Amino acid sequence: MQLPYAEPYKIKMVESLTKSSYGQRYQWIKDAKYNLINLKSSQIFLDLLTDSGTGAMSDKQWAEMMTGDESYAGSRSYFQLKDVAKQIFGIPYFIPVHQGRAAEHVLFSTLLKAGDIVPGNMHFVTTKEHITLNNATAIDCTINSACDITNQNIFKGNIDLEKLESLFKSNDNIPLVILTITCNSIGGLPVSMQNIQETSSLCKKYHCPLYFDAARFAENAYFIKKYEKGFEKKTICEIVKEMFSHVEGFMLSGKKNGIVNMGGLIGLRSETIFKNASVNTVRYEGYITYGGLSGRDLSALAQGLLESTEYDYLESRVEQVAYLGNRLKQYHIPLLEPFGGHAIFINAGEFYHHIPQTEYRGQFLNSNIYLEGGIRGVGIDGLSNNRDPDTGKEVYPPMELVRLALPTRVYTNSHMDYIAATVANVFEKRHESKRGLKLVKDTKLLRSFMAELEPTDQNT
Ligand SMILES: *Cc1c(COP(=O)(O)O)cnc(C)c1O
């Protein structure tokens, strides 16, 4: 018999979780205006809002927290992180920053000018925002099959090379191309090595540097090893090296595959860009040997990067996501497939197909999962976008979803069973809900954070 995956770690310290009653949660969600971002963490049993900065550090990382060097300049922790980054990525220059969007802030203010175009497979929201803040335009060259739910290709994160080339042909103001690995906005699905290599060749043909948004680089490498021909026998470290050999630089949020609660990195091959970016780092983040972080954070990130490139860890990480997906499938919950590296996405539009799209089916399903079992995910629906500036109409995403993101090394498989059973109970009762949610208070920006809602039919 083939043995199942098992976590390559054991529990040394535990943190208590509070269970609550349906009645308590009913009151709390009303107080939170049916917007789960307003809940207190003490009102939540299992928090699947995000895996960003919510992972569990190892004993070795906590040991680094004690021995980190807090010198303002030239800290030992900085050199430790630099050595690890060089060893893993094979890229000579790097700058620590306090998180992923800080890397975007520093790098884009160094590389972009007004009117520029920045293509990518599908930019993350903060990336898009920082491109726009520099008066440049972010353009997604997503492959058409990425949003086709019947397509089972795992490498849906791939960039469409024809779309990219036609941009190159019609524009001479493209200062960089960004591949997001894994592609967060497409469900955490990977980019293949072949696509990375071909994108790199195309970029070279047009003398344009290629960068990674590398928040989940290790999960991407795991998918390449598992699914791409010719990589089965390579180690994760070899695959990561090869991936990064194709790029000029990268931005990385350490809160994902760095397994730290706070931290980020910029990696660069060009000494000139490194020097220019250093100036912006001092402006926005702090001196270049700490970049807005404590010395102990730098050391913990160095250790986290080493751990996240270990095969056994990555297997348990990615396969736990699949475990949850398969449990939900057993209850016939409509899901996005294939499963990505950090989250499961429930198709809320299909789940509640009998409720109008105008009634925020993503937020509604998320609310009902919370009421049923004290679990918090994220609803993705009309509320996730700003309204059309011209018509004032809602802009709907291609699919309405609930994302259940799994924090790294935090929850056990009995938690996964509990989550699946909770969603199954909501699914069984889905026809009892005839209506969804309506807005009580709307805002112009960051609607999903600020909006207040209530059930359309108060009797449900
Ligand atoms: C999280 C994330 C970011 C932003 O990083 P923060 O640390 O949250 O600022 C950028 N890109 C991708 C792909 C991410 O997943």
Side-chain angles (χ1 to χ4, degrees):
M1 173 166 35
Q2 168 146 23
L3 296 178
Y5 84 90
E7 293 77 1
Y9 49 85
K10 57 184 177 177
I11 296 165
K12 203 185 198 88
M13 187 189 280
V14 296
E15 178 180 347
S16 296
L17 295 170
T18 334
K19 283 198 170 182
S20 52
S21 67
Y22 185 93
Q24 284 175 312
R25 292 193 292 273
Y26 186 71
Q27 188 56 49
W28 291 335
I29 200 172
K30 277 213 312 217
D31 295 343
K33 312 291 181 195
Y34 282 83
N35 187 336
L36 301 197
I37 199 102
N38 295 326
L39 289 171
K40 294 178 187 156
S41 62
S42 59
Q43 297 167 336
I44 294 161
F45 180 47
L46 304 179
D47 200 352
L48 311 184
L49 180 72
T50 177
D51 65 328
S52 180
T54 54
M57 290 206 294
S58 68
D59 53 351
K60 289 193 178 130
Q61 286 180 288
W62 279 106
E64 295 293 344
M65 295 295 275
M66 295 304 293
T67 53
D69 175 3
E70 303 304 335
S71 302
Y72 190 94
S75 154
R76 185 186 52 74
S77 299
Y78 165 79
F79 290 106
Q80 179 189 358
L81 179 56
K82 188 177 162 144
D83 288 347
V84 166
K86 206 167 163 182
Q87 175 197 325
I88 292 178
F89 304 114
I91 287 182
Y93 297 103
F94 99 103
I95 305 173
V97 287
H98 84 272
Q99 64 182 88
R101 68 201 70 185
E104 292 160 2
H105 187 197
V106 167
L107 198 66
F108 294 162
S109 53
T110 307
L111 296 179
L112 301 188
K113 56 183 191 325
D116 281 346
I117 286 175
V118 184
N121 45 350
M122 193 184 276
H123 296 294
F124 186 65
V125 272
T126 59
T127 317
K128 215 168 260 179
E129 185 72 17
H130 276 282
I131 291 170
T132 313
L133 281 171
N134 283 284
N135 300 308
T137 307
I139 297 185
D140 292 334
C141 299
T142 314
I143 52 171
N144 292 337
S145 62
C147 291
D148 174 1
I149 49 173
T150 61
N151 188 311
Q152 290 294 308
N153 173 20
I154 187 87
F155 291 110
K156 283 186 178 176
N158 284 357
I159 195 168
D160 187 316
L161 292 158
E162 281 176 24
K163 289 182 191 169
L164 180 60
E165 181 149 31
S166 77
L167 276 183
F168 276 134
K169 281 183 176 155
S170 51
N171 298 280
D172 55 6
N173 52 348
I174 301 179
L176 77 161
V177 171
I178 300 171
L179 279 178
T180 302
I181 54 168
T182 57
C183 195
N184 197 338
S185 313
I186 306 172
L189 288 170
V191 180
S192 70
M193 191 73 86
Q194 184 184 346
N195 191 252
I196 293 171
Q197 188 261 314
E198 288 174 358
T199 310
S200 169
S201 301
L202 187 62
C203 286
K204 284 202 179 96
K205 181 173 158 195
Y206 290 92
H207 308 288
C208 176
L210 175 64
Y211 281 74
F212 280 147
D213 180 349
R216 294 190 172 84
F217 73 97
E219 288 157 17
N220 201 97
Y222 176 81
F223 281 115
I224 287 176
K225 182 174 169 70
K226 185 165 176 189
Y227 293 104
E228 193 164 348
K229 242 173 109 181
F231 292 92
E232 308 84 349
K233 296 219 159 63
K234 295 203 171 165
T235 66
I236 295 295
C237 285
E238 285 166 347
I239 294 171
V240 169
K241 266 273 174 56
E242 187 171 336
M243 284 160 56
F244 282 78
S245 73
H246 294 294
V247 295
E248 263 302 303
F250 65 85
M251 300 161 283
L252 179 149
S253 164
K255 301 170 71 173
K256 282 62 171 260
N257 287 180
I259 331 183
V260 287
N261 304 116
M262 194 53 69
L265 273 185
I266 297 171
L268 297 162
R269 285 191 199 283
S270 153
E271 189 182 357
T272 312
I273 297 174
F274 167 69
K275 284 188 173 155
N276 294 340
S278 297
V279 175
N280 282 331
T281 305
V282 175
R283 279 183 188 139
Y284 303 133
E285 293 286 286
Y287 186 59
I288 54 160
T289 63
Y290 73 87
L293 293 165
S294 305
R296 52 181 170 268
D297 293 333
L298 301 172
S299 291
L301 177 55
Q303 178 61 27
L305 288 170
L306 290 175
E307 291 174 17
S308 83
T309 45
E310 283 170 12
Y311 177 80
D312 289 342
Y313 154 73
L314 271 175
E315 179 189 43
S316 77
R317 163 77 177 145
V318 177
E319 300 306 334
Q320 186 178 47
V321 175
Y323 177 86
L324 174 61
N326 286 321
R327 294 290 285 124
L328 287 162
K329 256 176 90 166
Q330 285 167 359
Y331 296 118
H332 310 292
I333 313 294
L335 304 174
L336 292 200
E337 286 186 72
F339 306 133
H342 68 285
I344 289 294
F345 292 77
I346 305 173
N347 188 340
E350 191 178 331
F351 195 110
Y352 283 131
H353 60 86
H354 56 286
I355 294 177
Q357 187 180 38
T358 50
E359 299 192 352
Y360 308 105
R361 296 183 290 199
Q363 318 296 327
F364 184 59
L365 176 55
N366 199 28
S367 298
N368 287 337
I369 292 171
Y370 173 71
L371 282 168
E372 179 71 25
I375 299 162
R376 169 167 75 173
V378 180
I380 299 165
D381 54 27
L383 207 60
S384 312
N385 297 321
N386 297 333
R387 285 176 185 275
D388 184 308
D390 299 325
T391 63
K393 284 201 174 129
E394 294 265 354
V395 178
Y396 294 103
M399 271 178 283
E400 290 150 278
L401 305 164
V402 166
R403 184 186 83 171
L404 305 175
L406 296 186
T408 296
R409 300 192 292 212
V410 170
Y411 295 122
T412 64
N413 281 359
S414 4
H415 290 125
M416 299 304 118
D417 295 341
Y418 176 95
I419 296 161
T422 302
V423 178
N425 283 352
V426 179
F427 191 56
E428 210 164 284
K429 291 187 282 198
R430 66 194 180 283
H431 290 293
E432 289 171 24
S433 305
K434 308 275 184 255
R435 306 292 300 269
L437 295 171
K438 65 173 187 231
L439 279 169
V440 176
K441 202 174 123 202
D442 201 358
T443 55
K444 212 164 163 215
L445 300 173
L446 297 175
R447 296 172 74 216
S448 60
F449 292 99
M450 315 280 218
E452 299 182 359
L453 301 127
E454 68 180 22
T456 310
D457 174 0
Q458 281 293 359
N459 299 324
T460 53

